[in-house]
Amino acid sequence: MSAQGIQHALQADFIRDVRAGLGKSGQKELPSSYLYDEIGAALFEAITLLPEYGLTRADARLLELHAAELARRLPVSLVVAELGSGSGRKTRWILEALAGRRPLDYYPIDISRPALVKCRGELGRIPGVTLIEMEHSYLDGLDAVVAERQSGQSVLFLFLGSTIGNFDQAGAVDFLRQVRARLEPGDALLLGTDLVKPVDQLLAAYNDATGVTAAFNLNILARINRELGGEFALADFEHRAIYNHGKRRIEMHLRSKCRQQARIRDAGLTVRLEEGETIWTESSHKFRLEDVNAMAQGAGFGPTIQWTDEEWPFAESLLMAS
Ligand code: AVI
């Protein structure tokens, strides 16, 4: 498909999802993937620097600390593919350790061209690493990577940063199952998961004092205004992040401060909201180690090796395809 064709299809998906999520009665919602246009991605980068948000630093710490062991546990003839193009630093530890054994190809997979360009800027000059961008959805990208593997080569997939926590529970296992279906014995998936921790710590991380997470959340409405001719008055909404104890997840919402309605021209939709009604924009699940193991088993992976961070409970799990 041409670049223009891809843009057109993405716009059609956005309209469909906005209609489905905001046009329904009951809890209104938007898929969290729409938080990440170029502005949203930049705001997320800022979140990762916040003192309250220790997740990304824990992920990076673990990868720096255990990259050499990871390399020892994996076949030498290897290609690496990353779901989401990663924010440079943490992936660098892995690539340097692996390429220290034998040169390798690294495929960042992302639907966003700007994210891939940024990734090339950050990881494009590591000795022994050839970076090949994959402008695809995750599963299409995985298909393309395994189609190019040479005989005798193993594949390491990276799914870092606890992005798996943004899936619903059934969706996470289903997604891992689909990844597993593309792997052969000797291949592996390195999965980052944020672990359960004191609720105060979590609430602070998603309600930061600087208001960056609030801006990140509100940007989803600003994006609808920019891209679909929406008329949301952002000042009439406020960011809410709550912890759902039963589901062990942070939920991000946009709460309407008043009774209001907003037209979205390109979706042919008028959204009506009562005062206090919310639009649910993201879930961020927090895991116990046994949850990660159960997900891995449910998806058909073999033995799992885990490393955890004590300062900010987080786990890196190497799921082997056996
Ligand atoms: C990308 N993802 C793992 C982040 C998270 O913590 O769930 C997104 C995020 N949302 C608010 N702050 C960060």
Side-chain angles (χ1 to χ4, degrees):
M1 212 191 286
S2 67
Q4 215 182 10
I6 293 173
Q7 279 318 312
H8 202 261
L10 290 175
Q11 166 102 346
D13 287 351
F14 192 16
I15 289 174
R16 182 202 59 211
D17 291 339
V18 163
R19 274 197 196 125
L22 299 185
K24 65 176 178 171
S25 55
Q27 176 68 63
K28 297 195 179 356
E29 57 190 329
L30 288 167
S32 60
S33 53
Y34 293 112
L35 291 163
Y36 300 90
D37 64 347
E38 215 172 335
I39 295 175
L43 288 166
F44 176 65
E45 280 300 309
I47 287 174
T48 67
L49 303 175
L50 292 169
E52 297 96 328
Y53 190 82
L55 189 156
T56 311
R57 286 184 293 278
D59 198 10
R61 255 193 315 272
L62 283 169
L63 297 176
E64 180 180 10
L65 209 60
H66 301 290
E69 185 188 348
L70 177 76
R72 280 195 300 276
R73 289 185 179 269
L74 291 168
V76 173
S77 177
L78 193 70
V79 298
V80 178
E82 180 163 15
L83 305 172
S85 53
S87 75
R89 224 183 50 224
K90 53 191 182 180
T91 307
R92 174 180 291 273
W93 303 121
I94 302 178
L95 294 177
E96 286 179 348
L98 293 172
R101 310 170 314 165
R102 184 190 285 190
L104 56 82
D105 290 343
Y106 165 59
Y107 297 88
I109 301 170
D110 209 301
I111 203 144
S112 151
R113 174 118 299 269
L116 289 169
V117 170
K118 189 156 183 280
C119 181
R120 173 165 292 282
E122 277 164 1
L123 299 173
R125 279 187 299 274
I126 300 177
V129 175
T130 304
L131 185 150
I132 304 155
E133 288 116 342
M134 287 277 172
E135 191 175 346
H136 283 302
S137 67
Y138 290 160
L139 293 175
D140 288 352
L142 294 188
D143 283 335
V145 171
V146 293
E148 282 185 28
R149 82 153 86 199
Q150 324 232 306
S151 109
Q153 241 178 4
S154 297
V155 181
L156 170 67
F157 288 136
L158 307 176
F159 199 29
L160 305 175
S162 203
T163 303
I164 192 75
N166 298 133
F167 289 54
D168 66 34
Q169 277 138 330
V173 177
D174 183 58
F175 180 73
L176 293 180
R177 200 174 289 133
Q178 298 199 59
V179 173
R180 173 64 189 84
R182 288 159 171 84
L183 300 182
E184 292 177 6
D187 294 342
L189 168 69
L190 184 64
L191 182 69
T193 47
D194 200 19
L195 300 179
V196 285
K197 52 184 61 62
V199 173
D200 287 356
Q201 203 180 351
L202 285 173
L203 288 175
Y206 291 85
N207 288 293
D208 63 281
T210 320
V212 184
T213 310
F216 171 68
N217 197 5
L218 281 163
N219 178 58
I220 202 166
L221 297 183
R223 179 178 182 183
I224 292 175
N225 289 351
R226 287 191 295 270
E227 295 183 21
L228 303 182
E231 292 173 5
F232 285 109
L234 300 200
D236 289 342
F237 290 86
E238 61 193 4
H239 165 71
R240 278 284 154 93
I242 54 169
Y243 188 67
N244 180 327
H245 288 262
K247 302 273 188 193
R248 283 191 284 277
R249 69 185 180 208
I250 287 282
E251 294 174 3
M252 276 202 330
H253 292 256
L254 289 165
R255 180 183 177 277
S256 175
K257 293 191 207 167
C258 56
R259 186 166 203 223
Q260 57 173 311
Q261 59 178 51
R263 176 97 190 127
I264 306 174
R265 185 195 60 218
D266 297 351
L269 179 71
T270 300
V271 184
R272 295 186 172 77
L273 291 151
E274 297 299 326
E275 181 181 346
E277 193 177 349
T278 71
I279 302 171
W280 185 6
T281 51
E282 187 186 62
S283 294
S284 187
H285 290 85
K286 306 301 162 189
F287 301 91
R288 298 166 302 184
L289 288 177
E290 60 264 36
D291 300 328
V292 181
N293 291 330
M295 276 196 308
Q297 263 184 16
F301 281 93
T304 300
I305 300 152
Q306 279 174 329
W307 299 279
T308 56
D309 191 73
E310 301 303 323
E311 188 179 330
W312 177 277
F314 191 93
E316 229 59 86
S317 304
L318 184 65
L319 314 187
M320 305 301 296
S322 50

